[in-house]
Amino acid sequence: MRKVLVGLSGGIDSSVAMYLLQKQGYEVEGITMLIWSKDSPYPAPVSPNSCYNPDKSEDLAKIDEICTKLGVRHHVVDCSRLYERNVLANFRSEYMNARTPNPCIWCNALIKFGAMLDIARETLDFDFFATGHYARISKCGDRFCLMKAVDGKKDQSYFLSRLSQKQLSTTLFPLGDYTKDEIRRIDESLGFHAPGAVESQDFYGGDYSDLLSTPDRKGDIVLVDDGRKIGEHRGFWHYTIGQRKGLGIAWSEPLYVISLDPLANRVYVGTKERTFSSSLMAGNVNYVGSDGFDSRVYTVKIRSTSSGTPAFVSSTDEGFRADFLSPVMALTPGQSAVVYDGDVVIANGIIL
């Protein structure tokens, strides 16, 4: 019998994923990673509903309860130091260089599907690792393809797009062919969670700038069209590209953050039309569905909540270039540009 190690958070999706795999005949064990250290140099979030949180007692109690119901062993792995070094340190470095990283993407690739399993393999034998993500994996020729989930509203392939071929080859996503409503009904039928249980877990439950441990420093807010100073701010790192609220400027029409200058500590703002871009350059590419690009039109997502925009994509020395068939709003350096061919993830590149 093949053994699957299931990543458990205490929520509906990972709990039902474990149940479905057991029902399919796999030998199942659960694993949960802790990413908070009691002597962490980073502040605790204001909201308890976040991945990065010092108090996981309620989640662990729920996991143990469900594992007991299913007769499944549960393991806990401390990944806090690796998380601080590989995710939070990168998050801080990128933000202070006026780039906006996506910590969930890096956590998946480096910690959840990486370091945590390396630690687990020191004492456990298992054939596959599974999670409650909404995505699918299929074999495409000699490659393992990451694909969108059947439930388009819940699809999480964007967050998984930096997984390697090696990682995908031993990963299972049992929820990929289900809708969220179907998974909720299964969960309620099993009595795992109360009907209508709310699930919403962010990376950090608070102001992201709290993680930067950087004292405020006044700088200029400048109109991008003519260079006029029209206000002051308390540090460029408190702003993100495309931001409209919280600028503290009275103007004849709404203003948006267009770009950030970390060296001059300057925030450039402009009207909505200045937020649109017709192309992007991406580097640090992770190829998934193929080992390169045909120069043609694909669909490119520049944020997780986007449905994607058609773009002509071609290879460059740094990675790839995407020329959009219609302009996209708030293109943000540091975020992931994920290229799709239909439902198949072709590549993830970091926007330059």
Side-chain angles (χ1 to χ4, degrees):
M1 183 183 296
R2 293 175 296 174
K3 181 184 285 188
V4 184
L5 196 61
V6 184
L8 300 175
S9 66
I12 292 171
D13 295 331
S14 61
S15 301
V16 174
M18 177 171 61
Y19 163 77
L20 290 174
L21 289 166
Q22 191 180 59
K23 189 178 178 182
Q24 290 170 21
Y26 290 101
E27 180 183 353
V28 174
E29 294 190 11
I31 188 167
T32 301
M33 66 177 187
L34 301 181
I35 56 176
W36 173 277
S37 171
K38 63 181 180 180
D39 55 352
S40 172
Y42 297 92
V46 176
S47 168
N49 191 27
S50 63
C51 296
Y52 188 63
N53 194 293
D55 185 8
K56 288 295 182 183
S57 57
E58 187 174 328
D59 292 336
L60 291 173
K62 172 56 72 173
I63 292 169
D64 286 339
E65 174 192 321
I66 294 171
C67 285
T68 298
K69 280 186 177 182
L70 297 179
V72 171
R73 293 177 62 194
H74 178 227
H75 310 275
V76 178
V77 174
D78 186 351
C79 297
S80 58
R81 292 303 182 203
L82 292 166
Y83 187 82
E84 288 174 6
R85 185 162 63 244
N86 291 288
V87 179
L88 295 183
N90 173 73
F91 180 86
R92 181 177 183 181
S93 174
E94 288 286 86
Y95 250 88
M96 296 311 296
N97 282 284
R99 296 165 60 80
T100 307
N102 192 311
C104 297
I105 287 178
W106 293 110
C107 177
N108 281 331
L110 301 177
I111 309 299
K112 186 176 293 182
F113 291 80
M116 181 183 76
L117 300 185
D118 291 338
I119 295 171
R121 287 189 181 97
E122 294 176 2
T123 55
L124 301 174
D125 290 321
F126 54 95
D127 301 295
F128 298 100
F129 175 60
T131 67
H133 285 100
Y134 287 82
R136 294 177 292 163
I137 297 173
S138 66
K139 198 74 189 299
C140 304
D142 59 351
R143 298 183 72 84
F144 288 88
C145 285
L146 174 65
M147 301 177 64
K148 292 180 181 178
V150 167
D151 189 339
K153 292 181 180 179
K154 288 297 295 180
D155 172 57
Q156 293 171 298
S157 59
Y158 179 90
F159 295 105
L160 300 162
S161 56
R162 291 203 69 87
L163 296 186
S164 68
Q165 284 293 296
K166 182 178 180 182
Q167 289 169 320
L168 289 171
S169 70
T170 57
T171 295
L172 301 175
F173 293 130
L175 306 193
D177 291 317
Y178 291 84
T179 66
K180 178 68 176 187
D181 288 342
E182 289 172 328
I183 296 303
R184 277 191 176 277
R185 286 196 290 269
I186 294 172
D187 181 83
E188 291 176 11
S189 72
L190 296 168
F192 286 166
H193 298 83
V198 177
E199 286 190 309
S200 177
Q201 193 170 64
D202 197 4
F203 148 63
Y204 182 77
D207 189 334
Y208 284 1
S209 63
D210 293 343
L211 294 171
L212 306 179
S213 302
T214 301
D216 287 351
R217 178 160 50 92
K218 283 187 178 181
D220 295 338
I221 297 178
V222 176
L223 198 61
V224 71
D225 285 330
D226 57 19
R228 274 185 294 162
K229 175 182 174 180
I230 59 173
E232 290 186 340
H233 60 79
R234 56 195 180 96
F236 73 86
W237 53 91
H238 292 288
Y239 301 84
T240 56
I241 305 300
Q243 178 178 332
R244 182 173 70 86
K245 295 182 179 180
L247 297 180
I249 299 172
W251 203 250
S252 58
E253 55 186 309
L255 294 176
Y256 298 76
V257 175
I258 306 301
S259 64
L260 305 169
D261 184 341
L263 295 179
N265 189 26
R266 190 171 293 146
V267 175
Y268 288 93
V269 298
T271 54
K272 186 174 183 178
E273 58 263 26
R274 295 302 303 269
T275 66
F276 288 94
S277 302
S278 58
S279 65
L280 68 78
M281 302 291 287
N284 192 5
V285 178
N286 179 56
Y287 290 102
V288 187
S290 69
D291 57 4
F293 289 106
D294 297 325
S295 294
R296 61 179 179 84
V297 174
Y298 296 87
T299 299
V300 179
K301 292 181 67 168
I302 61 168
R303 57 182 60 88
S304 63
T305 54
S306 164
S307 59
T309 303
F312 186 87
V313 181
S314 54
S315 297
T316 66
D317 291 340
E318 296 84 4
F320 64 82
R321 175 188 175 102
D323 291 288
F324 296 99
L325 302 193
S326 57
V328 294
M329 185 177 179
L331 194 65
T332 307
Q335 288 280 292
S336 285
V338 180
V339 181
Y340 291 83
D341 184 2
D343 286 344
V344 178
V345 175
I346 300 300
N348 170 305
I350 306 304
I351 299 171
L352 300 174

